[in-house]
Structures are given as structure tokens and as C-alpha cells.
Amino acid sequence: MKTLIEKLLTKALAALPEDLLPMNVRDLGVEVENTRDAQHGDFASNLAMRLAKAARQNPRKLAEALVRLLPPSPSVAKVEIAGAGFINFFLSKDAYHAEIAKLLQAGRQYGRSSVGAGKSVQVEFVSANPTGPLHVGHGRHAAFGASVANLLEAVGYRVEREYYINDAGRQMEILAVSAWLRYLERCGERFAFPANGYRGDYIAAIGEQLFAAQGVKLQHAAADIFKDLPPDEPQGGDKDVYIDALIARARSLIGDPEFRRVLNLAVAGILSDIREDLQEFGVTFDCWFSERSLGDNGSIDRAMDALKKAGHAYVKDGALWFKSTDYGDEKDRVMVRENGVKTYFASDIAYVFNKLERGFDHLLYIWGADHHGYITRLRAGLIALGGPADSFEVRLVQFVSLFRGGEKAQMSTRSGEFVTLRDLRKEVGNDAARLFYVMRSNDQHLDFDMELATARTNDNPVYYIQYAHARVASLMRQLQERGLAHDSELGLRSLCKLVEPQELQLIKRLSAFPEIIRQCAAQRAPHTLVHYLRDLANDFHTNYSAHQFIVEDAGLRDARLGLALAAQTVIRNGLGLLGVSAPETM
RNA sequence: GCGCCCGUAGCUCAGCUGGAUAGAGCACCUGGCUUCGAACCAGGUGGCCGGGGGUUCGAAUCCCUCCGGGCGCACCA
């Protein structure tokens, strides 16, 4: 509908005589916006005001000329000039009704479009380290990433959802040794658990699993294990030095192959837990990408070779550096340390290289806000490897603070004192969790109040929106109980009977849905969709309270039920993009 | 010190690629169920949009600056 108005205005602009507007200032794009106030019509344009300066004309005079030159359209009932020179468009009722007919015909497809033109976008999100279960912070990443991916898909992009598994590096070894120590406890050994070890209950479960599979095969006496180790942190030592020594000891006692087996068992267990958790949350991935595979198949070396060849890498102090300062970074970054060990950044460069090789048109990274310092250097890597700068995009998700009854819950994977995503889902339900997570802008810190999320009040938009959907289902049940059936053909023919202001308001809102979806996708802003759905539910409830649906006049009845079904369709489609269910009863 | 995010009604937040009188929910106050689900609706109270400058026909929105809060600035991952 908006595009129609834009077309009309573009034609009028082209027809404007030269004495009113010089030819050389006409490439100004035509802008049309939704009005906030119904007094200003349905759509408004500020074109005349924007032209006024270049044309050295009074904006109202320009507006009058434009309005005179507007081609007539059956969809436009009235055009007015208001204020400083706004051109306000009032749509005809026919135009409203035609949109509802279109909506009902499109059904589940309504709102989808093809502006993405089949371009491919890879969305990488969550990518939590497989060192423990997902917590509530990861939940926000999951909900946000999944919703953005759905939105992009809805507007015609080919979307690939990816989870990057950080299964390489020292963290994994700490995980393995933690699991082994829990296993030893299960075997009956007694000792002090390392300060830097993972101490969550899930580690003990892995130890238990190890015991069930291996018996006492991997058992060693505590005295042997801890003999001559440097002091741990509580004894005044360095916890990192201590745990590294402990890892080395474990390797030498049980052998490297066994150690790797323990590591793999731990990672596999945690990863399958994460996968199941996300699946239950309605978040799925097309690809689970292993960081370790980058090292195993030589990708890291190839990426670094590519950088060297392009002249963006150099050796200094025995280390290999990436010259990221060439692309705006504040300092160059080490890829291979003096001791020959590759840094985490080397993996990230290789991973970007790999993504480029896979040929995506656009790369969307969703990161925690604490990673913002990483953006510049990684973009530098992408450009240095020949990727187009504008294909690289990072969206940061701010932190989640969990509140329970006004008290802030602490979250730390290492200490094991955290509320998991699974706990949260169990307590508030998937629907409330998904909606709460994306209700606020990703740039905004989120205070997630679990009591609020479970409250069945208007605080919680989940119920408000779902209730509107269920009410329509209830209407249809009621219709059946009265021995009536909905004649959709008659309803379509009778749409002209929808003339009440609440009905027209609802239709207007429904008509905006496709544009809202495009906007949400373009801005990666699922929270805008939540607000839209809340407003839509409000319009529906208002109309519901104001007018009877099941009335004597069959034409009016079927038209009104058609409108109700249209609202139900848009709510279902919208909630679907957010991963929230649309129940028939509540 | 440098960088990113945030500061809008008592509370939680929309609005930010400049547009008309700044919006929603909660809270508070008034009304509305013998009638399709009151998990609802109608109405009301409540704002120097953190402060100050600038850009212009027009600024919550853009620029500068200051103040306040969060986060980050490794040959860690």
C-alpha cells in the first residue's frame, strides 16, 4: 500500500514543471511514512518540504502542485495538505477491504516477501563454549539469533544458521581434567579440587559416566597425582600454573590417548545436552562447526599463508603477527605465539576465511557485548583476506540479569552457581522465555524477572497476544455450537460491510504487517515485532469488545469472522517468527 | 586514559537513516460482565526525552561537550 503511494508521488514529481522545480534536484527519493495520528490520514509524505529549499519555493505551494499532478487511484479517497507542507493520504475503504482479501488469500504466507532476492546470509549465534550447560545469557542469544534468522528468511534471504563449537584449546583440557578428578572421587580418592577447575554438578555426572564405562581403569592414587605440584591459589600459588601442571600430570599418568578420550567424552556429553536444550527451545542449526576441525584440516595454516602472501603478516619477537592496524585496529595481533602455540585469534581468522570460502553473501555474527573489542580486528582479518567489508556484520547482545522476587541471581559457569536455560524454561515456559528475551532491543540490558514472566497479567505480553489468538479460535467454536458455519466466500464478498472505526483500525494495523516484517529484518529488530503484535492484539481486543461477531446478518457475520481470522493469521505468523506458539485455547 | 552500549512518565521500556500535540505496559484513580472467553475493554492523573552548546524550516532522533551507569581494552580462551 505504501509502495502505491510512493509510485503516485514519484509520477507527480516527474510531472512537476521546470519553473517550479529545477531538473537537477529531482533525484531526491520519495519518502512516505505511516501517520501516527489518524487525523493525518493513513500515509504522509514530507516531499514538498524537502524540495522547498532546492526549489526556492514555498513548501505548501509545491505540495499543492504535487497534489494536482497526482494520478487518480481508486485506493486513495482523499489527499490533504497540512501543517508546514505535509501531503496526507486517506485511503478508501475499498483499499482496506482489498488488503484483507489479499491477507486471507495469502494465509500463512502473508507477511513474507522477496526483498532478500535469494541472497545468502550466514547467521552465527550462541556458540557457547562446550564447558557446561547453557545459562540464561545464552538463552537471549539463542532467542535473538533464531528470531533474526527467521525474519531474514521471511523476507527472502537464504539463511544458514551456525553454531561455532570452541572445542579446541586449554579450556577443553581443564574440562577434561575436571571430569577426571570427579571420576577419581567416584573411585574413592580424596583431595582438594583445583580452584580453576569446573565444579558444576554436570562435571560429576561426566565423572560418573566415566566410572560406569571404565571402572577403575583410569584410577591413580591421589598421592601420586598431586605429588610435587606447584601450590594452588588457596595455598598462595597461581591457579593457572597449578591447573596446567595438573593437566600435564594427568596426561603422563593415564596417557595422552586416554586423556583425549576423557576430553571427547566430556565435550560430546555437554554438546549433546546443549543441542537438546536448544532444540526444546525451538532453536535449531544447519551447521555445528568445530573449531578443532580448523586445526585438524590445515585451515589455520592456509589462512595464515593467505595473509602472509597478501603481505598482512610479519614475524616479530619470534611471534607471527597480523597487521590489523592497516584496517583501523589499534594494535597488531599475535596469531602464533613465541612458543609456537596458535592463539584463539588465529582460529577466528581461519574461521572467517572458511566462511568466505563457503561463499556466503553476508556474514552475521551475534556476540555478547563483552566481545565488542573484537569486532575491528576480525573485520580487519576479513578484509585482509579479500572479503567485502560490508558483508561483515556483528550484532551485540547486552547482558541478562536474572531476578527472582527482586533478588538478583548470580551467574558463573566456573563456580557452578548459575541458573541454566533449562531451569528458566521449566519455570517460565518456552513461550514466555522466547518473547521476554526479544522484547527489548538487543542493545538494552535485560532484567529478566522470572516472577513477572510467570505472572498471568498484562505485564506479560505473551498472554495478551496469545489470548487474542485463542479468542478467535473460541469464536469459531462458539459459531459451531450455534449450528452455524463460516462461509468464507460470502465473507469476502461482504467485506464492504466492515465500516466501524475499530474494524478499520484493525485492518490498517493488519495491512502494515508485511512492511513491519521487512523493517524488523532490515534492522535485525525482533523487538519491533513484539511491540507490533502487542498493538495488534490491543486493536483486536478493542474491536472484539466493541462489536458482536456472531450476528444475524450472514454477510456481516462472515465478513467480521473473516476479519477475526485475518487477525488470527497475522498473530500466528508473527509469533511463529519469534518461536512462540499460538494456542487455540488457554 | 581509549573504545562500545545505555540514560525518555513513579517503575520496565518503545520511538533514534530528523517531521506534525513524545507513546505502551505496570502502578494509581473512574467506569464496564443476565449477551461470542473480564487472561478483556473505555476513560483519567503523570514528561525541561540526563545537563549545556551547535546544525536547520523543524531535533528525543544528527554533531560537539560534560555528567551518570554497564562492558571491554593479553604472545587468555
Side-chain angles (χ1 to χ4, degrees), chain A residues 72-299:
Chain A
S73 163
S75 297
V76 179
K78 189 168 67 164
V79 182
E80 278 182 0
I81 296 165
F86 289 100
I87 304 174
N88 293 335
F89 294 84
F90 295 77
L91 294 187
S92 66
K93 290 194 173 65
D94 286 352
Y96 281 131
H97 298 143
E99 188 65 22
I100 289 303
K102 204 170 121 191
L103 190 168
L104 288 169
Q105 203 265 327
R108 283 178 187 275
Q109 294 303 312
Y110 190 70
R112 306 187 82 88
S113 61
S114 54
V115 290
K119 276 186 281 198
S120 62
V121 182
Q122 189 220 37
V123 186
E124 186 222 313
F125 60 113
V126 187
S127 302
N129 290 349
T131 52
L134 299 176
H135 57 66
V136 294
H138 299 127
R140 188 176 192 192
H141 287 230
F144 178 72
S147 298
V148 169
N150 290 343
L151 284 163
L152 289 171
E153 214 160 54
V155 298
Y157 289 95
R158 287 199 339 265
V159 176
E160 173 133 340
R161 299 158 175 85
E162 184 151 308
Y163 187 115
Y164 182 58
I165 308 164
N166 290 104
D167 55 0
R170 188 162 154 269
Q171 296 304 317
M172 292 300 102
E173 299 180 328
I174 297 176
L175 174 72
V177 84
S178 301
W180 183 58
L181 291 175
R182 291 301 189 206
Y183 154 86
L184 291 168
E185 285 176 346
R186 177 63 183 79
C187 294
E189 301 293 336
R190 290 293 169 261
F191 49 83
F193 200 78
N196 208 19
Y198 290 104
R199 45 178 72 243
D201 291 343
Y202 59 95
I203 300 290
I206 294 168
E208 181 70 36
Q209 214 182 321
L210 200 55
F211 182 76
Q214 305 272 7
V216 294
K217 234 179 79 190
L218 301 176
Q219 185 179 4
H220 287 265
D224 296 335
I225 297 164
F226 295 93
K227 194 179 160 199
D228 298 331
L229 286 182
D232 197 1
E233 195 171 67
Q235 284 73 49
D238 184 323
K239 62 181 180 176
D240 286 304
V241 170
Y242 177 75
I243 199 111
D244 283 342
L246 196 52
I247 289 166
R249 179 64 51 83
R251 272 215 160 86
S252 74
L253 285 175
I254 64 175
D256 192 56
E258 278 305 328
F259 187 80
R260 292 197 65 86
R261 208 166 301 167
V262 172
L263 190 155
N264 289 339
L265 180 87
V267 172
I270 289 171
L271 213 49
S272 76
D273 173 74
I274 288 175
R275 198 187 295 241
E276 183 189 278
D277 199 8
L278 289 170
Q279 173 106 37
E280 286 171 9
F281 198 34
V283 177
T284 57
F285 292 86
D286 304 298
C287 182
W288 292 73
F289 193 96
S290 158
E291 178 188 356
R292 213 192 294 170
S293 72
L294 290 169
D296 293 349
N297 65 22
S299 291

Side-chain angles (χ1 to χ4, degrees), chain A residues 381-403:
Chain A
L382 174 120
I383 299 169
L385 288 165
D390 60 357
S391 69
F392 177 86
E393 178 184 350
V394 179
R395 293 286 160 162
L396 298 175
V397 177
Q398 296 289 332
F399 291 153
V400 178
S401 301
L402 200 59
F403 288 84

